[in-house]
Amino acid sequence: MTDVKPQSDTQLVTITIDGVPHEVKKGEMLIKAAQDNGTYIPRFCWHPRMNPVGMCRMCLVQIETPRGPALITACTNPVADGMVVDTQNDTVKKAQEGILEFLLINHPLDCPVCDRGGECPLQDQTMSYGAGESRFVEEKRHYEKPIPISDLVLLDRERCILCARCTRFSDEISGDPLIEFKDRGNNTQVNTFPDLPFSSYFSGNTVQICPVGALTATAYRFRARPWDLNAVESTCAHCTAGDRITIQSSQNEVLRFLGVDAEPTNHGWLSDKCRFGFEYINSPDRLSMPLVKGSDGAFRESSWAEALDLVASKLRSTIESSGPDSVGAIGGARLTNEDAYALSKFMRVAVGTNNVDAQLDDGLDPQFLAATADRALISDLETAKTVLVWGPDLKEEHPTLYLRVRRAAQELGATLIVVHPRATGLDDRADHKFTYRPGAGSEVLTALSAGEGRYADARAALNTGPVVALVGRSGTTEDPKLAEAVAAFVRTLSDASILPLARRSNVFGALDMGLAPTLLPGRVSLGGIGCANLEENWGPWPTKTGKSTREMLAGGITSPAGLEALIIVGADPVRDMPDGLVAAEAIESIGFVVSLDQFLTDSNRLADVILPAEGFAEKDGTVTNIEGRVQKVNNIVPGPGQSRPDWSIIDDIAARMGTTLGFSSAEGINEEIAHVAPAYEGVTWDLLEWDETDGVVVPYGEAGQPLQYIPVDTGGKTVKGDLVLHQARVMYDDGVLMRNGLSQHELAPGAKLHVHPDDVTRLSLDERATLTAGDFTVTLPVVIDDSLSRGVVYVPFNQPGTPPLGSNPIVTVTAAD
C-alpha cells in the first residue's frame, strides 16, 4: 500500500501534467498525484489502499525521457522532480483505445442485465476513452455463469478483466488468500481453490471494488439499478469502530450498504457482518404494534395509549410502594446517543435511580472504558512501532481493528504481540504470540512485565514506542480485572497508549450518556463534579451507586429487596449474557417488565409489555466509536407500522408519570447533550454534517473531561482446575439481528467443543463429548484444536440451539454415551 503510508518526508517536487506545473509529494505515485491535482487518469487495477501492480495497463501515459517520449503506467511509477507527463495526446489515446478493445474481446455485452450496469468503470471508460466500436467478430469465451464462490458472493468469469483487485485485497488486506488466478493465457480466470469456498469475513469488499460485474452479492443481485436508489451516508451499526457507510434504498426498503473511505476509521472496508447486516431492517418479523400480555400469558396488540398508560402506571406504583431503587434498566448499547441520553435522564429524573447498565455482564468497568487515561486513537496504529493485542480475537469481534492492526504489522513494520487463549486471525502476522489458560492471565502478565524466559524479546519490543495496546476480555470466562491490569502495565511503558475494547456498536456512546451505574452524561462520575449545566437542566439526581446488569438480575431472583420492575431497551440478556439462565429466571421473577425493541426476543417474550422501536436507518442521531469519535447516523426509510424512536417512547412514559423531560426531536436532544455533557460540549449535528464529516473525538470543547480514570492492577484471580473453559464470541452467532437476516442467519458455525489433542486422548473422547459447566450440561461435536493450551476447552458463544454456559471457567468433559 505504497500510496497511503504516512509521509515522514514532506519534500515537494515539481512535475508538469498536460502543460500545467504542479507541486506534489516526492515519491507519490503519478496516478495519485495527477488525481489530487485535477487530472483523472483512467484505471481498473489501481486502488489507493492496495499495492500497485500495473496489470490492466489502462493508466498508460507518456513522459519525456532522455531517450525521447515513453509510455509508462501511471500507477507504478512515482513522481520525480522535473517529470513531464502527457495524458491526452494521440499516442496515449491510441494506447487506451487498444487496451479497452482487448478487454472487450471476451467481455460479454450484457450491461442491461448486469448488476454493475450504471455504475461500471468499464462501461464508463469505454464511453470516455474507447474507440467506439470493436474489430473482434469471433465467438467470445464462455463459462458457466454465475457460480457461487461463497454463501454471499457469486462469480461471473466471463466478465472478469483480470485486474487482480479481488485477489490482492484477499492477500494484502484481509489475509484470506482464498481467491486466486488459475490457468494460463486466454484461459486465465479467477476462482477459488477446489473444495475451499471464499469463506472470508471480508468477501463483500471484493464485490464493491470489482470494476466490472464479475463479482456480485447475493443480497443485492437483480434488486435495483443505481439510478433507482436513494442514498445517505451513515455509520455502521454492527461494530465499535464506527465504520462509515453509504446506505442505499429503493421504495422504502434498504437494499445495500457500501463502505466509505474514511481515513480515521475503516479505509472503505467493511466486514461481511456490517456489509450484509442490513437485511433484518426489512424483516417481516419486525414489531409494528405495541404488545400487551394478557392474563392467559399470550400477547395481544394494543394501542399506544393503552400500552404507555399501563407502563407508566406500573412504574409509578412500583416507585411509590418500593422506592426508585426497585426499578432498573438494561440495554442501550445499540441505541443512538440521543436515545441513550433519553433513557439515562429518564432513570435519574423520572424514576430516581442509578440502576442502569448498557453492558450485559460481559464487559469491563464502565469508568475504565469511558474515561481511561492515555487513550489511543485508531489512527495511532499508523505510526505505532509496537502493537500489543490482549483481548478478544479482533477478526471475530472487532473486524475493522483487525484490518488496521494487520496493516500496521504487515505494511507499516510494527512489531505485533498477541496474547490470547487460542489461535487468532492475527497470528500469521504476529512477531510474538503467547497462548495461556483462562484464569492464568495474571501469571502471564507478571512474566511479561518482568521479561522472563520466553517473554524477554516481547518485553524488549514494548520498550520501543510508540506502543498501542488494544486491551479487553478474551472471553466470557475471563476475569474483567485482567484487562485493567494489562492497561496499568502499559501505562508504565514510555510513549504508550491504550484502546480499551468492548463489544456492541454504540456501547461507548451509551456509557458516555450515563448508561452505567457509576456514570453521568459527559464522562462524569456520580458526584457530578464539573457538570454545572447538567445540574441546572436535570435538578438533583441520585448519588447512590446503581446496580450493574448482573446485580439487578441476581437481585431479582435471590433478594426480596431486588427489582420489582425492569426496563429492557434493545437488549436480549437471556441470549447475550454469559449467564443466560440467570437472566431468564430473573426476568420471569420480576413483577413488571417492559421492553423496547425491534423484534421478539428470548428476553422480551418474558415481558409484560413490548413497545416497537425504530432501528438503524429509520432515525437520525449520533454514535460514539471505540476511540471516542462522535459521528452522525441518518435515516433513509420509515420504521415499520407504528414503531417509534426510543427517545419518543421514553418521553411519553415520563410525561404519563408526571415528569417533563423536554424532548421534542432527536436534534433537540443532541443540542441538550452538547450543552450539559462536558465531554460533548459543542458537538452538534451542524458541526458533524458540515464541518467535521469524519466526526470529532471527545472531549471536544473547553469543558474537557471531568473524569480521568487511572487503571490499576488490583490482582486478578487465578483459576486452577483440570479443565477450564474459554468461551468467546465469533463473527456470526444466533443474535436476534443475525437471526433475521436472510443472507447471514445460516452462517453461524454452530457450537462445537474444541479440545487439545492430548486432552482428547487423555479423556478418551470420540466424535461427541458432554461438557458440564456449573448447572449447564450440553453434548457437542468434538474438534481437535492444537492452538489451545492443554487443559483448555473452547466453545463459541451464542450459537444456535446452545444456551450460554455461564461465567464459571471450571468445567468437566466426558465422552458422550
Side-chain angles (χ1 to χ4, degrees):
M1 288 171 274
T2 309
D3 291 348
V4 290
K5 289 183 180 180
Q7 296 287 333
S8 56
D9 181 5
T10 56
Q11 180 181 351
L12 299 178
V13 296
T14 300
I15 66 173
T16 301
I17 303 177
D18 296 332
V20 180
H22 300 283
E23 284 194 334
V24 299
K25 291 179 182 179
K26 181 181 179 181
E28 190 166 54
M29 290 300 162
L30 174 56
I31 193 171
K32 179 70 161 53
Q35 178 176 287
D36 290 345
N37 286 278
T39 298
Y40 180 82
I41 299 173
R43 79 292 299 261
F44 293 115
C45 67
W46 182 77
H47 190 282
R49 295 290 179 186
M50 292 189 287
N51 290 319
V53 289
M55 290 190 67
C56 71
R57 320 306 285 178
M58 190 62 203
C59 66
L60 287 172
V61 295
Q62 185 171 284
I63 64 169
E64 297 295 333
T65 75
R67 296 184 177 182
L71 287 174
I72 65 167
T73 49
C75 72
T76 60
N77 283 274
V79 295
D81 194 35
M83 178 181 281
V84 177
V85 184
D86 196 324
T87 70
Q88 298 179 347
N89 64 26
D90 291 341
T91 301
V92 172
K93 289 181 179 179
K94 186 174 182 179
Q96 292 170 346
E97 289 177 359
I99 293 297
L100 283 167
E101 189 173 15
F102 277 123
L103 290 177
L104 292 174
I105 282 177
N106 281 305
H107 190 86
L109 300 181
D110 59 354
C111 300
V113 296
C114 177
D115 278 327
R116 207 67 159 120
E119 55 182 7
C120 174
L122 179 61
Q123 197 176 52
D124 295 341
Q125 292 183 42
T126 299
M127 294 294 293
S128 300
Y129 303 97
E133 61 183 30
S134 174
R135 292 170 289 176
F136 185 81
V137 295
E138 288 77 15
E139 182 73 11
K140 292 178 181 285
R141 180 183 57 203
H142 296 290
Y143 291 114
E144 176 188 356
K145 56 186 292 180
I147 58 173
I149 57 174
S150 76
D151 292 311
L152 301 172
V153 177
L154 300 170
L155 171 63
D156 188 327
R157 292 166 291 174
E158 291 181 353
R159 297 175 182 164
C160 180
I161 60 172
L162 305 180
C163 69
R165 278 190 173 191
C166 58
T167 60
R168 288 152 53 213
F169 169 84
S170 300
D171 186 31
E172 298 174 16
I173 307 296
S174 68
D176 299 319
L178 300 171
I179 184 169
E180 191 51 88
F181 289 120
K182 61 175 289 190
D183 296 335
R184 290 171 178 257
N186 187 56
N187 295 319
T188 304
Q189 58 180 287
V190 166
N191 213 323
T192 57
F193 296 98
D195 301 321
L196 287 176
F198 189 29
S199 54
S200 169
Y201 285 164
F202 305 94
S203 63
N205 292 287
T206 64
V207 175
Q208 181 170 338
I209 65 176
C210 179
V212 293
L215 293 167
T216 54
T218 58
Y220 180 71
R221 187 173 172 82
F222 299 146
R223 296 298 305 277
R225 284 302 195 184
W227 52 82
D228 295 326
L229 297 173
N230 299 315
V232 67
E233 192 168 317
S234 192
T235 307
C236 177
H238 285 289
C239 68
T240 57
D243 299 345
R244 293 304 290 170
I245 63 172
T246 296
I247 309 173
Q248 295 184 334
S249 70
S250 179
Q251 300 180 8
N252 287 333
E253 183 177 349
V254 175
L255 293 183
R256 68 175 174 179
F257 290 170
L258 297 176
V260 173
D261 193 339
E263 181 63 37
T265 53
N266 58 309
H267 285 178
W269 312 128
L270 298 175
S271 72
D272 287 349
K273 183 175 183 177
C274 295
R275 183 176 299 277
F276 302 113
F278 64 85
E279 292 175 308
Y280 74 89
I281 299 172
N282 309 319
S283 171
D285 294 328
R286 286 283 301 276
L287 296 173
S288 59
M289 291 281 291
L291 301 176
V292 175
K293 185 173 288 184
S295 57
D296 60 353
F299 284 108
R300 61 173 178 82
E301 292 185 350
S302 76
S303 66
W304 271 105
E306 178 191 0
L308 293 173
D309 286 342
L310 175 60
V311 172
S313 173
K314 289 289 188 179
L315 293 179
R316 186 169 55 244
S317 63
T318 299
I319 295 168
E320 291 172 352
S321 62
S322 303
D325 286 335
S326 64
V327 180
I330 293 173
R334 297 197 183 279
L335 306 181
T336 64
N337 290 342
E338 289 72 17
D339 290 332
Y341 177 84
L343 178 59
S344 179
K345 186 175 182 179
F346 172 80
M347 292 302 293
R348 271 62 183 246
V349 176
V351 177
T353 183
N354 289 314
N355 292 343
V356 58
D357 197 355
Q359 299 188 84
L360 297 182
D361 194 37
D362 58 355
L364 302 173
D365 185 302
Q367 293 193 359
F368 170 61
L369 289 175
T372 189
D374 300 319
R375 193 188 199 97
L377 299 178
I378 295 174
S379 59
D380 289 340
L381 292 166
E382 296 290 298
T383 55
K385 297 297 184 183
T386 307
V387 178
L388 171 64
V389 179
W390 194 329
D393 184 348
L394 297 186
K395 191 172 186 178
E396 299 286 355
E397 296 195 42
H398 299 274
T400 296
L401 293 182
Y402 160 79
L403 294 180
R404 295 296 295 259
V405 171
R406 188 176 188 87
R407 166 176 158 77
Q410 179 172 298
E411 298 292 333
L412 305 179
T415 299
L416 176 60
I417 304 168
V418 177
V419 187
H420 192 79
R422 67 183 297 265
T424 76
L426 288 170
D427 288 1
D428 64 323
R429 287 293 174 264
D431 297 278
H432 307 281
K433 168 64 188 298
F434 303 111
T435 303
Y436 67 98
R437 287 167 56 100
S442 296
E443 299 173 359
V444 175
L445 178 59
T446 300
L448 178 62
S449 304
E452 299 173 354
R454 67 189 184 111
Y455 301 100
D457 291 343
R459 181 64 183 87
L462 290 169
N463 290 329
T464 304
V467 176
V468 176
L470 294 86
V471 179
R473 290 176 71 173
S474 63
T476 61
T477 60
E478 185 77 84
D479 183 356
K481 294 180 181 179
L482 176 62
E484 189 171 336
V486 174
F489 160 66
V490 171
R491 292 195 72 244
T492 68
L493 305 173
S494 61
D495 197 11
S497 55
I498 303 160
L499 199 59
L501 303 175
R503 64 183 310 277
R504 299 184 189 89
S505 56
N506 196 35
V507 63
F508 291 92
L511 296 178
D512 280 355
M513 295 302 105
L515 293 189
T518 58
L519 287 173
L520 294 174
R523 300 179 183 173
V524 177
S525 63
L526 292 183
I529 298 174
C531 56
N533 291 341
L534 183 66
E535 186 173 2
E536 179 183 345
N537 182 278
W538 282 21
W541 57 75
T543 57
K544 176 184 175 183
T545 299
K547 296 176 181 177
S548 67
T549 293
R550 185 172 186 83
E551 291 168 338
M552 282 188 272
L553 295 183
I557 300 172
T558 61
S559 172
L563 293 189
E564 296 186 20
L566 177 65
I567 305 167
I568 305 175
V569 185
D572 186 8
V574 172
R575 291 297 301 178
D576 220 13
M577 272 184 66
D579 286 308
L581 180 60
V582 170
E585 292 176 348
I587 294 172
E588 281 191 292
S589 70
I590 293 173
F592 179 75
V593 179
V594 56
S595 169
L596 284 65
D597 214 308
Q598 302 175 62
F599 291 95
L600 279 174
T601 68
D602 289 15
S603 298
N604 64 22
R605 292 178 192 276
L606 306 174
D608 299 283
V609 177
I610 304 176
L611 304 176
E614 290 181 350
F616 182 73
E618 298 165 353
K619 56 186 176 183
D620 293 314
T622 58
V623 292
T624 304
N625 79 347
I626 196 168
E627 61 184 349
R629 184 176 300 276
V630 185
Q631 300 177 97
K632 192 75 168 53
V633 293
N634 294 298
N635 79 306
I636 192 171
V637 294
Q642 297 184 22
S643 60
R644 297 170 56 185
D646 296 83
W647 67 263
S648 175
I649 299 171
I650 292 166
D651 186 67
D652 263 4
I653 295 172
R656 284 168 163 77
M657 293 174 64
T659 300
T660 301
L661 297 182
F663 301 148
S664 59
S665 68
E667 186 171 9
I669 298 174
N670 170 260
E671 292 174 357
E672 183 173 318
I673 294 169
H675 177 65
V676 306
Y680 284 68
E681 181 183 47
V683 182
T684 63
W685 282 13
D686 283 346
L687 176 74
L688 299 176
E689 289 181 331
W690 300 105
D691 299 326
E692 301 286 351
T693 54
D694 282 337
V696 297
V697 176
V698 292
Y700 179 73
E702 295 181 359
Q705 179 176 304
L707 177 63
Q708 289 287 342
Y709 186 83
I710 306 299
V712 177
D713 184 354
T714 57
K717 60 184 179 181
T718 299
V719 177
K720 301 292 185 180
D722 180 54
L723 286 177
V724 293
L725 173 66
H726 172 56
Q727 187 173 35
R729 299 178 186 273
V730 293
M731 176 78 74
Y732 302 116
D733 59 16
D734 196 32
V736 66
L737 302 187
M738 293 294 98
R739 199 184 309 150
N740 285 278
L742 293 176
S743 297
Q744 297 185 326
H745 74 283
E746 294 182 349
L747 297 183
K752 295 179 176 63
L753 182 64
H754 294 243
V755 187
H756 190 278
D758 289 354
D759 292 321
V760 171
T761 302
R762 179 172 63 89
L763 299 172
S764 301
L765 303 182
D766 200 356
E767 293 183 358
R768 297 179 66 83
T770 298
L771 171 72
T772 301
D775 296 329
F776 303 93
T777 298
V778 62
T779 298
L780 299 171
V782 172
V783 175
I784 297 175
D785 188 345
D786 60 7
S787 75
L788 295 167
S789 298
R790 293 176 180 83
V792 178
V793 295
Y794 161 67
V795 179
F797 182 79
N798 193 15
Q799 293 299 301
T802 304
L805 299 176
S807 54
N808 185 353
I810 304 297
V811 297
T812 60
V813 174
T814 57
D817 296 333

